[in-house]
Structure formats: structure tokens, C-alpha cells
Amino acid sequence: MHKPFITVLIVEDNPGDVDLINVIFAQVKTPKFQVEAATDLDSAIARLHHQPFDVVLLDLCLPDSNGLNTLKDLQNHHPKLPIVVLTGLADEDFAVDIIRQGAQDYLVKGQITPDLLVRSLRYAIERSLSEQKLRQTQQALHQANQELERRVQEQTQAVILREQLLNEFFYAASNANVGLAIQDKTLKFKQINQALAEINGLSVDEHLGKTTEEVLPHLASTITPILHQVLTTGKPLINQEITGETASNPGVARYWLASYFPIFFPKHTVDEIGSLVVEITPLKQAQQKLQDANRELTFSNQELEQFAYIASHDLREPLRKIKGYTELLAEDYQGQLDEMADKYIHYITDGVTRLETLIQDLLTYSRVGRDNREVRATDLNTVLAQTLEDLSVCIDENQAQIIAESLPTVPANSRQMGQLFQNLISNAIKFRQDIPPQIQIRAESQKDSWLIRVSDNGIGIKPQYQDRVFEIFQRLHSRSKYPGTGIGLAIVRKIVESQGGKIWLESEFSQGTTFYFTLRKT
């Protein structure tokens, strides 16, 4: 009997994100969800020990855990639990990494829709169940083969023990809803369980004594060569993905994950072949839906970039008028009005200036993805020299020391490379300690890329904040202490990734920070 609802545990320390996800759940008409939340990893693990959940929505940055360790810790306590990671990064490499680490799926905060949320959760649950069934099947197969090989060496009881083990194996596979069949050397079915018979769309009796060609004519050209290979080599073929139709559903594409293994008689001769089959059609359909959703998301992001560029550009004209008239107001009436009026004029001027800076940064951010056509051989030494010239006043005022080794020539957009160096160097100067800033820039040749390092002796970044610094509008300090819009490092990351590279950092609080980024050689 199916449950009336799907139980979901949200592990997220940001109440605003939890409320937003709950709002999205409220928009879903079917299926029904029962949603609960935990604010840290320890309380989530404790709750999962006392109450089963169908799936977990997991933020990797929590008060008591951070990064991929959060995912690993939860998996160590609940290895069979489907996990969908919540992330603020629309980063394909990061997504691939978390899937490899065992997450079923990931969702980008701020880009979650009701349909995407439902598809992702269903996909995570179905994928986890399929993986569990597959692991159980493979484990059963491995154990059965080992036990069978050991026992058939005992000549006097070989046949009896083989039949006993196969019966036990049939029973275990049937209980796990896994299809199982045994065929002889002529590929005629000797045994088949109900699960596989239903997959093929025929009764058990309609299989017995017949070959693969007779029972499955639509699939015979795929399956028969595999069976002959197992007979010839005596080696199993594991996790073969089979695609095709069955007689019961002609014209309908279906998908199976199958493993084929030899069954040995005494003297280690292959006498029969066993087949283990799990249907994965729902999983494939869910994957296709997810790919379609990702394509829609990519198109939506491109439209959003275009909108940000146009909106930012169109906002500058009225902003210039506001600024111009405010400056005229200050020039003509400063000191002639009361103290509060002067203060209000200052607030307007300051706000307009900050908004102008923010719009300019947004324009810069939106242009990064639009300027990739202007890629040519770029001497980074020339780019860095021009950047240092542009920053010369700031460098002199802060007595900053820049030490740069010889840098390579790479295929890149020279203007964007200048923006990259300017943001990293100006940040190193801005977030300085009480001693003069020291900034080192060096390059290291790798196989297909150059690794560039920009190191400083500044205030550093605490570990819990290091994953956030590349996100747009992320500020770790108050504006009064360190001015800025919080877009600089987001621009840096977008520039590097648009050139096919990666960027990351290493930092010790109060000891300084090193930014690493790669650029393609060709």
C-alpha cells in the first residue's frame, strides 16, 4: 500500500531559505509532502534515528559542518537515505562532484520551481531505491558465485548443492523483485521467476524450453551475443544496459540493467547461464526529465543575463539625472537649509553613488558571458603591467609591494583578464592588516593549462566563509569598514569559468589568502 504523502527533512540553518522552500512545497498539488526542518547536522542525524524520512534536502554549509564533509557525515549515519543537495552555486563541476560523492541530485537555491522540486525528489527516491536493489543483487550474485564455485569442487555433492543454491538464489531475487532466469547451453530457459516473466510480458510456462529468439525476438540481437560471450569466456558480464521493446508493449522503449553469469558444472565447465534483470525505465524517464529541466534552466539563465544587462544599462540614464540634480541642489543650497536637509542631501548623494557603482558592477558581471568571442592570444605580463598602472595610486597610498614572476601567454579576453587581476589585487590591498600589503603572483605549467596563484598577507578568510566569497552580493564585512558591492569575486569566478578554467582559494584567518585559478593553454 502506498503512503499518502512523501516525508521530507530540510536540513538548512537559514530560516528564510526554509520558508521559501516551504512556500514552493505549498504550491505542489500532487504528490502530497510532509515537510520538517532541522537547523544543523547533529539535530538532523538525531531526528533521522528516531523518525524515518523518504528524502533529505541538505544544505552543505551548516553551523556544525561545512562542504562535502556534511554530505559524507550524513551518509555515514544513513547510507541508504536519498539526499538532494541544496546549493547556491549553479556550477556543473560542483554538481558532478556531489553526485560522485553519493548525492542523488542537487538544486540551486533561488532557481527552484514546484515542478523542478517534485521531479528532483522523485528522481532521488527512485534512483536510491534502484541503487539499493542493484547493490543487493550484485552482492547476492557475488556471494552466490563464490559459494557455488567452492561447493562444486566437492565432486560427490556438486549437483545437489548447485540446485540448492540456485533455489535459494531464486527465492532471494524474487523477494527483492529482481528478475532471474537460468538458460542452458542452447540458450533455452530452464527456470525463470515471476518478476522476469512479468518484465517480458509472458507467463513463466511460456518461457520454459524456449530460446531467447523465440521469447524475446525484439531483444534477441542484443542479448544473444552477450550470452554466447559468457558461455565462451566463463566470465560474468555485469551491469549491461539493455534498451528495446517487448512483445507485450510494442513500440514502447524500455530500459533494463542486466547481469549475466556462468554456472559451472564439476571440472569448471560452463553448463548454464544465469541472468539478473532490473527494469530501470522509470529512472531513465526521470533522468530525461531532469536533462530537459536543466536545458530549460540554462536558457532561463541566458535570458536573465540579457535582462540584467539591459535593465542595468537603462537604469543608468535616470540615475545620472538624479545624481546631477542632487549635486546642483547641494551646490546651490548647501548650508542655506537646516542641518537635517543637508544630511538628507548627503544621504541621496551617497545612495546614488553606491547604486551607480552597483549597476556598473552588474553590467560588468553580465558582460562576462557576452564577450567570449573576443578571445585571442593574450600576454598576461602586459595585462598585469597595465593593471598595476591603473592601480598605481592605490598601491602607492598603501605602500603595497607587488612581486610578479613571468606569466604566460594564453587564449583569453584581455579586458577580462585585466578585470580579474584588478579585482584580486585591489581586494588584497583593501583587506590588509596593519602592515604594508605584500602580493605575490606566479604561474605554474600543468599538462593542458596554466595554474596562476595570487597570494597576499592580508586578514585572511575564516573557513566557514570560504565557500561563500565567490557568490554574487556576498559580503563578509560591513560597508562602513570595507566599501564595495560584493560582486568582485563573483566577476572573477565568472571570468575564469567562461575561459574554461577553475578557481578556488586557500586561506588562514589573519595569515593571508592565496587564490588559485587555471587557464587553458590552447
Side-chain angles (χ1 to χ4, degrees):
M1 182 176 179
H2 292 292
K3 293 172 61 177
F5 48 76
I6 296 174
T7 54
V8 182
L9 178 62
I10 303 174
V11 186
E12 168 64 68
D13 64 329
N14 188 323
D17 286 342
V18 174
D19 290 342
L20 181 58
I21 294 173
N22 278 321
V23 168
I24 297 173
F25 271 118
Q27 299 174 24
V28 177
K29 294 182 179 180
T30 181
K32 299 296 184 183
F33 291 90
Q34 178 175 299
V35 184
E36 298 185 25
T39 58
D40 58 62
L41 185 60
D42 286 342
S43 63
I45 291 172
R47 185 172 296 183
L48 288 166
H49 278 308
H50 294 89
Q51 178 182 354
F53 285 85
D54 295 316
V55 64
V56 169
L57 285 171
L58 177 66
D59 183 16
L60 298 184
C61 297
L62 297 172
D64 55 350
S65 183
N66 189 48
L68 289 176
N69 288 331
T70 307
L71 175 62
K72 293 177 181 178
D73 289 345
L74 185 56
Q75 287 175 322
N76 288 337
H77 287 85
H78 299 278
K80 297 181 181 180
L81 183 64
I83 299 173
V84 177
V85 170
L86 293 171
T87 175
L89 303 174
D91 184 336
E92 289 186 2
D93 290 337
F94 177 71
V96 170
D97 196 18
I98 62 175
I99 296 298
R100 285 175 176 169
Q101 295 295 330
Q104 270 65 47
D105 202 358
Y106 81 106
L107 292 170
V108 180
K109 296 179 183 179
Q111 300 178 5
I112 304 173
T113 64
D115 288 343
L116 182 60
L117 180 62
V118 170
R119 285 197 297 267
S120 180
L121 295 180
R122 278 180 165 168
Y123 168 69
I125 293 170
E126 290 172 0
R127 176 177 172 175
S128 178
L129 290 174
S130 297
E131 289 174 346
Q132 290 177 32
K133 287 182 180 179
L134 189 57
R135 285 195 295 269
Q136 292 170 357
T137 299
Q138 290 175 338
Q139 184 178 4
L141 173 62
H142 178 71
Q143 292 174 348
N145 259 338
Q146 283 190 327
E147 185 67 358
L148 184 60
E149 185 176 349
R150 184 184 69 82
R151 293 191 182 187
V152 295
Q153 292 176 359
E154 303 173 5
Q155 297 289 328
T156 57
Q157 298 184 6
V159 175
I160 296 174
L161 290 175
R162 187 190 67 165
E163 293 299 325
Q164 177 184 349
L165 286 172
L166 289 176
N167 288 335
E168 292 175 357
F169 193 23
F170 257 85
Y171 179 77
S174 297
N175 286 343
N177 199 29
V178 174
L180 177 62
I182 295 177
Q183 295 167 264
D184 62 20
K185 288 183 177 180
T186 64
L187 306 186
K188 291 181 178 180
F189 285 92
K190 294 183 65 177
Q191 288 180 271
I192 185 170
N193 69 353
Q194 186 64 33
L196 185 53
E198 290 178 357
I199 287 175
N200 294 339
L202 301 170
S203 68
V204 170
D205 290 339
E206 287 175 308
H207 287 79
L208 300 180
K210 297 180 180 178
T211 64
T212 303
E213 286 85 351
E214 294 173 309
V215 175
L216 301 170
H218 297 83
L219 298 173
S221 61
T222 301
I223 298 176
T224 301
I226 296 175
L227 297 174
H228 281 305
Q229 183 177 341
V230 175
L231 278 173
T232 303
T233 64
K235 296 180 180 180
L237 289 173
I238 307 299
N239 295 342
Q240 303 295 302
E241 188 170 305
I242 308 297
T243 305
E245 306 172 7
T246 60
S248 60
N249 287 299
V252 178
R254 297 170 68 182
Y255 303 86
W256 301 271
L257 200 61
S259 295
Y260 303 92
F261 55 95
I263 300 174
F264 294 94
F265 250 156
K267 299 183 181 179
H268 296 279
T269 58
V270 180
D271 185 63
E272 297 171 346
I273 301 172
S275 304
L276 279 167
V277 182
V278 177
E279 182 156 9
I280 57 171
T281 301
L283 177 61
K284 282 291 186 179
Q285 292 171 342
Q287 288 175 339
Q288 184 60 49
K289 290 179 180 178
L290 186 61
Q291 290 173 0
D292 293 342
N294 284 336
R295 281 194 293 270
E296 292 174 5
L297 182 61
T298 299
F299 179 72
S300 176
N301 285 339
Q302 290 172 348
E303 287 188 325
L304 189 60
E305 270 191 6
Q306 178 73 6
F307 171 77
Y309 176 81
I310 295 173
S312 299
H313 186 274
D314 290 349
L315 282 172
R316 298 178 75 185
E317 179 59 29
L319 193 62
R320 278 195 292 268
K321 289 185 178 180
I322 295 173
K323 184 177 181 181
Y325 282 112
T326 304
E327 289 174 348
L328 289 174
L329 185 64
E331 182 179 329
D332 293 343
Y333 294 99
Q334 189 84 31
Q336 299 181 33
L337 304 173
D338 59 24
E339 183 179 345
M340 289 303 296
D342 289 344
K343 184 179 294 186
Y344 292 155
I345 291 173
H346 171 72
Y347 287 159
I348 294 172
T349 304
D350 180 63
V352 168
T353 301
R354 286 194 287 110
L355 184 55
E356 194 172 43
T357 302
L358 179 60
I359 290 174
Q360 182 58 47
D361 285 348
L362 277 173
L363 276 171
T364 301
Y365 185 80
S366 67
R367 285 194 187 108
V368 171
R370 301 161 59 89
D371 291 347
N372 290 340
R373 292 171 295 180
E374 302 175 13
V375 173
R376 57 178 59 89
T378 301
D379 185 351
L380 295 184
N381 297 293
T382 303
V383 172
L384 179 60
Q386 182 59 54
T387 302
L388 296 180
E389 177 65 25
D390 295 340
L391 294 173
S392 59
V393 174
C394 178
I395 292 171
D396 293 340
E397 288 177 349
N398 290 274
Q399 299 180 337
Q401 182 181 10
I402 315 295
I403 303 172
E405 297 181 1
S406 177
L407 300 177
T409 296
V410 296
N413 181 303
S414 59
R415 187 176 60 81
Q416 290 182 2
M417 290 296 101
Q419 291 173 340
L420 185 153
F421 279 122
Q422 181 168 321
N423 280 329
L424 291 179
I425 294 171
S426 59
N427 269 8
I429 295 174
K430 180 195 299 186
F431 299 103
R432 55 174 293 184
Q433 301 196 68
D434 293 334
I435 57 177
Q438 288 188 350
I439 303 166
Q440 295 185 341
I441 304 170
R442 53 183 295 198
E444 177 184 328
S445 177
Q446 297 184 326
K447 182 179 179 181
D448 299 316
S449 63
W450 287 96
L451 175 65
I452 314 295
R453 306 182 187 191
V454 180
S455 304
D456 63 56
N457 63 341
I459 61 175
I461 304 170
K462 292 181 178 179
Q464 62 266 37
Y465 300 129
Q466 292 179 9
D467 291 338
R468 293 172 45 191
V469 296
F470 293 110
E471 298 176 19
I472 193 168
F473 298 129
Q474 289 295 316
R475 297 179 53 86
L476 306 183
H477 307 277
S478 66
R479 186 175 288 105
S480 60
K481 187 172 183 180
Y482 295 105
T485 59
I487 300 181
L489 288 179
I491 292 174
V492 167
R493 183 181 69 178
K494 194 173 183 184
I495 289 173
V496 171
E497 291 178 351
S498 72
Q499 304 294 328
K502 299 179 181 179
I503 186 167
W504 66 97
L505 66 86
E506 293 178 358
S507 181
E508 291 186 28
F509 186 62
S510 77
Q511 298 296 317
T513 302
T514 299
F515 286 89
Y516 300 85
F517 61 91
T518 60
L519 296 173
R520 293 177 289 110
K521 287 184 175 180
T522 58

